[in-house]
Amino acid sequence: MGYAVVGLPSPLNAVLSSNNSSIPGGGIEDPNHFAKPTLPCYKWRLVISYDGTRFSGWQYQQSPPTIQCIVEKALIRATKLERKDLHLVGASRTDTGVHAWGQVAHFVTPFNYDSLENIHAALNGLLPCDIRVREISPAVPVFHARFSAKSKIYHYKIYNDIIMDPFQRLYAYHSTYRLNAVAMREAAKHFIGKHDFSAFVNASHNDRLPDPVKHIFRFDVTEMGALLQLEVEGSGFLYRQVRNMVALLLQIGREAIPPDIVPKILATQDRKELAKYALSAPPHGLCLVSIKYNEEHLQPPPGCPVTSYGRHHCVSKCKLPFY
């Protein structure tokens, strides 16, 4: 079964087949928001990028503002629908200060579109400059931004030099310690595979108990001059799991502890054990890069408009006189 990374072109048409609040592992923040629609509806997928610096993460709340709240307000104005009718769902609940290049979300409308370029332009015109919809595409009924995801890819960037690059300060953690990238790479290999990550999850306000067993497909440590990029791909991640894994790798990179500490902490399944060695890495170095889905969930349904990647404006005739 092939995987595809959103965003690429994709799907539409239909009736939502289930109440999202009944799907295991969903964790619903507002049950009324996900009430089962009774009318036929069309489903649309968004690929969203944002600078998370001034936002309190993705998940809906009005104050302080979140990405979901602001995107919903733009959708309400662009579609003339109510929040309860849009059913906007994001693939990943990024934390306060975390960025995204490839966040995926879906929403529904009771009507079809002939073209998606106009609503695409309208949304970006309504959104602040630190949030942008990169793509809008029609989605098949079975597609769900969160529950259809097969894997997620995150980057964590570390600026490893004595003097911080001011242009990197909002998007990379500054480490003045000379980090041993070889040791970090060796330690990162211990995370690969299927493990119980209970030792790497922070307590959440969520009332459900998430499955602590996650599958990490790869964990790369790449040196790019002074910038050290950690790239991890997994089936899913627990609350602050990535930042906790990075925090431990930073301590290993400083050579304060050996790489083989990773499997020992994993085996304890105890968050208190990790706390003996490291605290969570700051959020601003973390970015949700992309989300992968099964190919069949990205197939365009019949009678749908093509994916919109935005449109270029051109001037057909110069209106200024030549001098």
Side-chain angles (χ1 to χ4, degrees):
M1 183 178 292
Y3 290 172
V5 182
V6 168
L8 300 177
S10 35
L12 152 19
N13 183 39
V15 178
L16 290 185
S17 57
S18 65
N19 185 338
N20 292 333
S21 61
S22 67
I23 302 176
I28 300 308
E29 61 272 70
D30 181 355
N32 294 326
H33 178 40
F34 298 107
K36 185 176 180 180
T38 56
L39 298 174
C41 56
Y42 297 85
K43 187 178 284 187
W44 312 95
R45 182 171 57 247
L46 305 173
V47 180
I48 308 170
S49 294
Y50 49 84
D51 179 334
T53 303
R54 69 184 186 97
F55 299 106
S56 296
W58 166 268
Q59 189 168 316
Y60 185 87
Q61 65 183 42
Q62 292 200 18
S63 181
T66 64
I67 308 295
Q68 183 179 3
C69 178
I70 292 174
V71 171
E72 282 188 350
K73 287 180 179 178
L75 280 169
I76 289 167
R77 291 184 63 185
T79 64
K80 304 298 189 290
L81 297 172
E82 298 296 326
R83 177 176 184 254
K84 61 182 177 60
D85 300 319
L86 289 166
H87 301 274
L88 178 70
V89 178
S92 183
R93 298 172 181 176
T94 54
D95 296 336
T96 298
V98 174
H99 314 293
W101 171 250
Q103 172 72 283
V104 177
H106 75 257
F107 70 98
V108 298
T109 61
F111 47 78
N112 196 359
Y113 285 101
D114 294 328
S115 170
L116 293 172
E117 286 190 347
N118 288 339
I119 186 173
H120 194 172
L123 285 175
N124 281 335
L126 292 165
L127 289 167
C129 60
D130 40 7
I131 304 176
R132 277 293 171 267
V133 174
R134 290 173 45 217
E135 300 174 25
I136 302 182
S137 56
V140 289
V142 295
F143 175 81
H144 191 284
R146 185 182 307 155
F147 303 123
S148 297
K150 305 306 296 183
S151 72
K152 300 176 183 179
I153 299 173
Y154 281 90
H155 284 176
Y156 194 95
K157 292 184 178 180
I158 303 162
Y159 196 79
N160 193 200
D161 204 350
I162 298 172
I163 307 298
M164 180 62 180
D165 180 347
F167 295 102
Q168 298 283 348
R169 75 190 190 284
L170 299 179
Y171 312 106
Y173 169 69
H174 184 207
S175 175
T176 55
Y177 293 91
R178 176 58 62 188
L179 299 175
N180 184 337
V182 174
M184 295 172 72
R185 204 171 286 122
E186 181 184 345
K189 291 178 182 178
H190 293 297
F191 287 117
I192 297 173
K194 190 174 289 188
H195 304 286
D196 185 318
F197 282 93
S198 296
F200 289 84
V201 59
N202 281 26
S204 168
H205 297 300
N206 204 327
D207 56 4
R208 67 185 175 87
L209 295 175
D211 181 2
V213 177
K214 302 297 177 185
H215 193 169
I216 302 299
F217 303 119
R218 60 189 178 90
F219 203 146
D220 304 323
V221 179
T222 306
E223 294 179 271
M224 300 180 290
L227 202 62
L228 197 63
Q229 179 173 282
L230 280 58
E231 180 173 310
V232 58
E233 179 179 1
S235 60
F237 298 94
L238 300 166
Y239 182 54
R240 294 196 180 175
Q241 179 186 335
V242 176
R243 289 166 56 190
N244 287 330
M245 293 191 295
V246 168
L248 188 63
L249 291 181
L250 280 166
Q251 292 294 78
I252 292 167
R254 292 167 181 166
E255 300 181 339
I257 47 178
D260 62 4
I261 196 73
V262 174
K264 295 176 183 177
I265 294 176
L266 280 169
T268 68
Q269 299 178 16
D270 186 354
R271 178 67 179 85
K272 293 179 181 177
E273 189 64 24
L274 175 64
K276 296 177 182 177
Y277 304 97
L279 301 175
S280 291
H284 67 280
L286 186 61
C287 181
L288 172 61
V289 175
S290 61
I291 301 173
K292 293 183 179 181
Y293 296 90
N294 287 332
E295 288 282 359
E296 60 265 29
H297 285 188
L298 300 182
Q299 295 304 309
C304 64
V306 298
T307 297
S308 172
Y309 299 98
R311 61 186 175 197
H312 290 283
H313 291 274
C314 59
V315 177
S316 57
K317 183 178 180 181
C318 182
K319 298 179 182 179
L320 295 177
F322 289 100
Y323 294 99

